[in-house]
Amino acid sequence: MAGLVLSLLVVVCWAAFRRHAVAAVAGTTAGMTVAAWCDWSDDSTGLFVIGVALVLHGSLFATALVSTLVRHVARGARWADR
């Protein structure tokens, strides 16, 4: 799990710094949600939908927060260079 978080953190930070924050948030969230759905969909109780919803909301919140922070830091760095 730590490897997944660290690798996604690098990708989201890089994309947000390059002014692609929306793509970073949407791509990461969609990828995590689809992967969870495909992996957990064989559950006969149907409770996997709750887990997938939690993955969707958690990854959306986390990537949006990281992207926003990186954008503000990058904007501040660019403002200081002027």
Side-chain angles (χ1 to χ4, degrees):
M1 187 58 129
L4 173 67
V5 170
L6 290 175
S7 61
L8 289 177
L9 184 64
V10 169
V11 171
V12 169
C13 288
W14 177 80
F17 187 77
R18 303 280 297 165
R19 297 182 181 168
H20 300 293
V22 174
V25 172
T28 303
T29 302
M32 292 283 295
T33 304
V34 168
W37 182 278
C38 291
D39 189 39
W40 299 339
S41 64
D42 61 350
D43 179 33
S44 62
T45 64
L47 291 175
F48 75 94
V49 177
I50 295 170
V52 170
L54 290 173
V55 168
L56 171 76
H57 289 98
S59 61
L60 180 65
F61 175 76
T63 55
L65 179 66
V66 168
S67 293
T68 302
L69 291 174
V70 169
R71 288 298 306 139
H72 283 293
V73 169
R75 187 176 297 143
R78 287 187 187 107
W79 179 257
D81 286 343
R82 291 182 183 180

